[in-house]
């Protein structure tokens, strides 16, 4: 769903009324009867997530002077979690861009002016000069209210534009690779994935080089070039230079620093996975993923150990969360995000697997909505698919525990009858908030989780 810019207007009095204002009293009494000469709206940087404090303009989808219709995408904004297309809620003309592509602005600060008619563009552009001379901090303060009376000054200047409120942000966005970025419409990106077209090989024909659907279709229809063997290229990184954090990397850095204030401890456990592996082989043809199986098993164990699903935010109390929402760490281009399987204990494994696939697709396309990545109550981080046998995970702020899952590997073990055998086993390590969760709590939780995984018949109910 696209983000809409809800725009409030500033009404400017006619020139004749301003002349009467200079002569005195009667003009004040007739203020309400003035004719509207100009309606200019201010577009400010939207808050696209609860943790976002500033946003980066990735691209403007329209140029100054372009006519915009309600629902047209105006700008692509990079937040701390995703890139979002923001659409206009009104018809008008993009009169002045205050923050160009590539620059950042605090949430709530003006980034552009929208004029209702083409005749009002020069007036909006003259007002834009005052914004450019102001500091970002002053422009991000409380939006100015429209002028209510013309008697406050002998010759009042035109009032500043009214602020814009932004509704739920839109999905979508630019792909990124090795620091480079391709700006593409949401449909073009979806189409490129369906047609197996590399967006980086396309020259966009849309505004500011934006790749649109017709560009993808043309690339898909073009005859394929014969592949030429080349030596493996090293990643295109600016060696020897200092690169600033992306917005998402900055958010991850901030969260990691916050986590240092929480007293944590770690408990490891070895779980035999032979039965789980056999179950997975039987049902993976129905779309079931190992991530969904692990999330389901974890959720079932948390039902019996609610303190491990609790959270402490103020350092003085903690909350027994009413829902079991399993967040799973996913690496995406330029950062890390945790899509959330909400109410994982209540969903069957097939529904859970379908939901997980949808979340991963949206995460990689940077289309997750805030409630789909910030509502987790317990987090999983799985590096087993890379052959990692064990690791520790950092506790995300606002949650009680995170579990690091290693690879399931054949392991030589001693059997109960004194013989030596081979079993598939995996290592899990839980990092927990010691203000709320104690060692005995984690030990009991891991024992329950081990029993569920080693006898997984209930996972398919």
């Amino acid at each position: 769903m696209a983000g809409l810019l809800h725009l409030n207007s500033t009404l400017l009095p006619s020139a004749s009324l301003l002349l009467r204002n200079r002569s005195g009293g009667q003009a004040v009494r007739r203020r309400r009867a003035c004719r509207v000469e100009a309606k200019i709206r201010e577009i400010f940087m939207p808050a696209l997530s609860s943790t976002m404090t500033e946003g980066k303009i990735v691209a403007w989808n329209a140029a100054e002077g372009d006519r915009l219709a309600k629902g047209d995408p105006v700008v692509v904004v990079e937040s701390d979690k995703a890139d979002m297309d923001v659409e206009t809620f009104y018809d008008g003309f993009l009169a002045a861009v205050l923050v160009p592509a590539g620059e950042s602005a605090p949430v709530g600060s003006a980034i552009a002016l929208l004029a209702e008619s083409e005749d009002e563009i020069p007036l909006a552009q003259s007002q834009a000069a005052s914004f450019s001379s102001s500091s970002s901090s002053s422009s991000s303060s409380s939006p100015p209210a429209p002028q209510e009376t013309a008697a406050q000054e002998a010759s009042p200047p035109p009032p500043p534009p009214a602020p814009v409120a932004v509704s739920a942000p839109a999905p979508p966005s630019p792909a990124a690779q090795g620091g480079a970025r391709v700006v593409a419409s949401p449909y073009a990106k979806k189409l490129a994935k369906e047609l197996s077209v590399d967006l980086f090989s396309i020259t966009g024909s849309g505004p500011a080089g934006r790749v649109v659907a017709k560009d993808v279709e043309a690339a898909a229809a073009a005859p394929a070039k014969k592949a030429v063997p080349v030596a493996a290229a090293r990643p295109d990184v600016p060696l020897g230079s200092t690169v600033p954090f992306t917005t998402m990397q900055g958010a991850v850095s901030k969260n990691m620093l916050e986590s240092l204030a929480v007293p944590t401890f770690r408990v490891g456990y070895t779980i035999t996975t032979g039965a789980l592996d056999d179950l997975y082989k039987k049902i993976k043809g129905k779309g079931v993923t190992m991530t969904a199986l692990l999330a389901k098993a974890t959720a079932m164990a948390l039902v019996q150990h609610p303190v491990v699903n609790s959270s402490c935010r103020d350092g003085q109390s903690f909350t027994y969360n009413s829902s079991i929402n399993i967040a799973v760490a996913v690496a995406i281009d330029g950062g890390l995000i945790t899509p959330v399987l909400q109410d994982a204990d209540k969903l069957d494994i097939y529904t859970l697997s379908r939901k997980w696939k949808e979340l991963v697709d949206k995460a990689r396309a940077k289309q997750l909505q805030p409630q789909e990545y910030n509502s987790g109550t317990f987090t999983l981080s799985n590096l087993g698919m890379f052959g990692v046998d064990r690791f520790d995970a950092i506790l995300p702020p606002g949650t009680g525990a995170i579990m690091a899952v290693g690879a399931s590997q054949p392991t030589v073990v001693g059997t109960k009858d004194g013989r030596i055998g081979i079993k598939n086993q995996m290592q899990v390590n839980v990092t927990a908030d010691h203000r709320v969760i104690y060692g005995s709590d984690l030990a009991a939780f891991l024992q329950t989780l081990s029993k569920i995984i080693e006898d997984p018949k209930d996972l398919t109910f």
Side-chain angles (χ1 to χ4, degrees):
M1 182 179 295
L4 300 178
L5 296 177
H6 299 273
L7 307 173
N8 297 323
S9 62
T10 293
L11 307 182
L12 303 186
S14 66
S16 60
L17 180 60
L18 290 177
L19 289 175
R20 288 196 296 273
N21 286 347
R22 296 190 185 99
S23 63
Q26 290 185 346
V28 176
R29 292 191 295 272
R30 299 180 59 186
R31 174 67 178 83
R32 296 182 182 275
C34 71
R35 179 167 56 92
V36 174
E37 291 291 340
K39 185 179 289 186
I40 298 169
R41 300 180 170 96
E42 177 183 323
I43 301 175
F44 66 74
M45 176 62 71
L48 302 179
S49 75
S50 59
T51 57
M52 177 177 168
T53 57
E54 71 173 11
K56 180 179 179 181
I57 303 297
V58 175
W60 286 97
N61 298 329
E64 290 184 353
D66 284 357
R67 185 180 187 90
L68 299 172
K70 177 181 177 180
D72 285 348
V74 180
V75 63
V76 180
V77 174
E78 179 186 9
S79 74
D80 57 352
K81 297 293 185 182
D83 293 344
M84 303 284 187
D85 268 342
V86 183
E87 301 178 355
T88 179
F89 193 67
Y90 281 86
D91 297 338
F93 292 83
L94 184 60
V97 171
L98 305 178
V99 181
E103 294 189 9
S104 299
V107 168
S109 63
I111 58 175
L113 298 180
L114 186 74
E116 186 177 49
S117 70
E118 195 168 8
D119 294 339
E120 292 152 1
I121 293 177
L123 177 59
Q125 291 177 338
S126 68
Q127 293 183 14
S130 65
F131 284 95
S132 61
S133 62
S134 301
S135 66
S136 297
S137 60
S138 62
S139 64
S140 66
S141 62
S142 300
Q147 182 174 340
E148 295 179 356
T149 171
Q152 295 176 352
E153 296 183 34
S155 178
V164 177
V166 181
S167 70
S173 304
Q177 179 176 336
R181 186 181 292 277
V182 171
V183 180
S185 69
Y187 180 61
K189 194 167 186 179
K190 178 181 178 183
L191 197 61
K193 183 177 180 180
E194 293 174 351
L195 300 178
S196 299
V197 173
D198 182 8
L199 286 173
F200 287 87
S201 66
I202 302 174
T203 300
S205 62
R210 183 181 177 87
V211 177
V212 293
K214 66 179 182 180
D215 300 326
V216 177
E217 292 169 345
K225 295 181 180 179
K226 185 176 180 180
V228 179
V230 294
R234 70 181 185 185
D236 183 18
V237 294
L239 299 178
S241 63
T242 300
V243 180
F245 281 158
T246 64
T247 309
M248 179 176 287
Q249 288 170 331
V252 171
S253 175
K254 179 176 178 290
N255 285 340
M256 295 302 96
L257 289 173
E258 287 182 8
S259 72
L260 294 177
V262 178
T264 59
F265 72 108
R266 295 164 180 83
V267 175
Y269 206 91
T270 301
I271 301 177
T272 300
T273 61
L276 183 69
D277 294 336
D278 291 341
L279 174 63
Y280 176 58
K281 291 176 184 177
K282 291 179 182 178
I283 61 179
K284 69 177 182 179
K286 299 179 181 180
V288 175
T289 66
M290 181 57 76
T291 297
L293 283 169
L294 291 172
K296 180 67 175 179
T298 302
M300 291 173 61
L302 289 173
V303 170
Q304 301 181 46
H305 303 277
V307 70
V308 183
N309 191 53
S310 65
S311 57
C312 173
R313 290 179 171 82
D314 59 7
Q316 299 177 347
S317 63
F318 67 98
T319 302
Y320 285 107
N321 292 301
S322 58
S323 298
I324 297 178
N325 299 336
I326 305 296
V328 185
V330 173
I332 61 174
D333 237 350
L336 179 74
I337 199 165
T338 52
V340 177
L341 288 165
Q342 298 180 351
D343 295 318
D345 58 314
K346 299 175 182 176
L347 300 178
D348 64 79
I349 192 62
Y350 304 103
T351 302
L352 204 61
S353 295
R354 288 193 298 271
K355 182 63 177 175
W356 177 242
K357 183 179 184 306
E358 293 171 5
L359 288 170
V360 171
D361 289 344
K362 292 175 73 173
R364 289 176 177 163
K366 296 187 177 179
Q367 295 179 356
L368 287 174
Q369 296 300 304
Q371 70 274 12
E372 293 176 319
Y373 60 73
N374 63 12
S375 58
T377 59
F378 184 97
T379 305
L380 288 179
S381 183
N382 183 7
L383 293 180
M385 69 285 291
F386 299 108
V388 175
D389 57 358
R390 70 182 68 192
F391 67 103
D392 289 328
I394 299 176
L395 181 67
T399 60
I402 179 172
M403 185 166 69
V405 181
S408 174
Q409 298 175 334
T411 306
V412 177
V413 298
T415 62
K416 292 181 178 179
D417 57 3
R419 298 183 180 183
I420 294 177
I422 295 179
K423 293 183 178 181
N424 285 346
Q425 293 186 330
M426 70 178 182
Q427 301 285 333
V428 298
N429 292 298
V430 181
T431 302
D433 184 344
H434 212 332
R435 297 172 300 177
V436 181
I437 303 168
Y438 304 134
S440 59
D441 297 321
L442 280 192
F445 163 74
L446 288 170
Q447 285 179 339
T448 301
L449 177 65
S450 177
K451 290 178 182 177
I452 293 171
I453 289 178
E454 292 177 1
D455 186 13
K457 62 181 183 299
D458 292 338
L459 292 179
T460 55
F461 287 166

